Amino acid sequence: MRKLSCLTLFSALALAAGAQTEMKSTQPAKDALQCKPGEKSACGLPSNVVIDMSKAKVQHTDAEWRQLLNPRQFQVARQQGTEPPFQNEYWDNHADGVYFSVCSDTPLFDSRDKFESGTGWPSFTKPIEKAFVGVTTDYSLGMQRDEVHCNVDGAHLGHVFDDGPAPTGLRYCINSASLRFMPRKEYEAWVAKNEAGAKK
């Protein structure tokens, strides 16, 4: 897949920024999975970081998000929760395609950058575009972690760690509930359509 062009990047942001209603601040999820001894770097504990969603381009109220998302998606993406390892939609998905934010038409990760981390969550070496993924340091739960979220819609995605494979050495540990998968052919058609629309 070719890297997103500036035109496609602009198109994706413009499409994703369709909704303009006020978004309420999210509260951290209270439930936390327990890590096994020595596995803290792989644990999907919820984040206590409160994302400044006033900067997000796609905005909805909590009530509107509840209508747009299923309960697990809302709890993870909007309330910074997490999902059980090995019990989520994409941890073992080997199909070729692109993963979008579940909260907007924002392409976040490519399956070609996905790898088997053994953690039970989808893991990637890098995002499609760094501009789409924000990082905030999370000092909660007695550890320092880097929480990642979608810059376009404010969705909580997961965390990024520095124990990944080459070439980046990073592991973006992402919740399936925050993602929507699009097969490669559909994605390429989506890109072509957006590029054509942006040229008009």
Side-chain angles (χ1 to χ4, degrees):
M1 183 195 75
R2 65 179 184 274
K3 186 176 177 66
L4 285 177
S5 64
C6 292
L7 184 59
T8 304
L9 184 69
F10 175 80
S11 301
L13 284 170
L15 277 176
Q20 296 297 327
T21 23
E22 185 72 19
M23 182 191 297
K24 296 180 181 178
S25 297
T26 59
Q27 297 300 320
K30 296 180 181 178
D31 55 320
L33 296 176
Q34 296 298 314
C35 290
K36 295 179 182 179
E39 291 186 352
K40 285 193 174 182
S41 66
C43 183
L45 289 170
S47 172
N48 284 346
V49 170
V50 178
I51 302 167
D52 182 5
M53 294 188 184
S54 65
K55 298 178 182 179
K57 298 180 184 301
V58 173
Q59 299 186 2
H60 291 291
T61 63
D62 279 352
E64 290 169 336
W65 282 122
R66 286 181 186 275
Q67 291 293 318
L68 293 168
L69 306 173
N70 66 40
R72 174 171 282 188
Q73 290 170 337
F74 180 81
Q75 192 266 337
V76 172
R78 308 316 309 177
Q79 296 187 310
Q80 285 132 298
T82 193
E83 59 195 2
F86 305 104
Q87 298 177 45
N88 54 81
E89 188 173 4
Y90 299 127
W91 77 271
D92 198 31
N93 182 32
H94 299 285
D96 183 35
V98 170
Y99 294 84
F100 283 67
S101 170
V102 75
C103 294
S104 65
D105 285 333
T106 307
L108 298 176
F109 299 96
D110 194 302
S111 65
R112 293 170 182 171
D113 300 314
K114 188 173 184 286
F115 67 97
E116 297 298 326
S117 64
T119 61
W121 289 279
S123 297
F124 305 87
T125 58
K126 63 180 180 179
I128 286 180
E129 289 288 344
K130 287 185 177 180
F132 290 167
V133 178
V135 179
T136 305
T137 303
D138 177 7
Y139 293 103
S140 64
L141 305 170
M143 64 185 84
Q144 179 178 334
R145 299 174 298 159
D146 291 323
E147 185 272 350
V148 292
H149 55 272
C150 176
N151 278 333
V152 176
D153 54 51
H156 168 71
L157 303 176
H159 292 83
V160 60
F161 302 93
D162 61 1
D163 57 4
T168 66
L170 298 176
R171 170 172 59 94
Y172 285 82
C173 187
I174 308 298
N175 290 285
S176 292
S178 297
L179 301 174
R180 173 173 57 87
F181 179 74
M182 183 181 290
R184 179 77 55 193
K185 287 186 178 180
E186 291 182 27
Y187 175 70
E188 290 176 347
W190 180 85
V191 169
K193 180 179 178 181
N194 289 325
E195 287 186 335
K199 290 177 181 178
K200 291 181 179 180

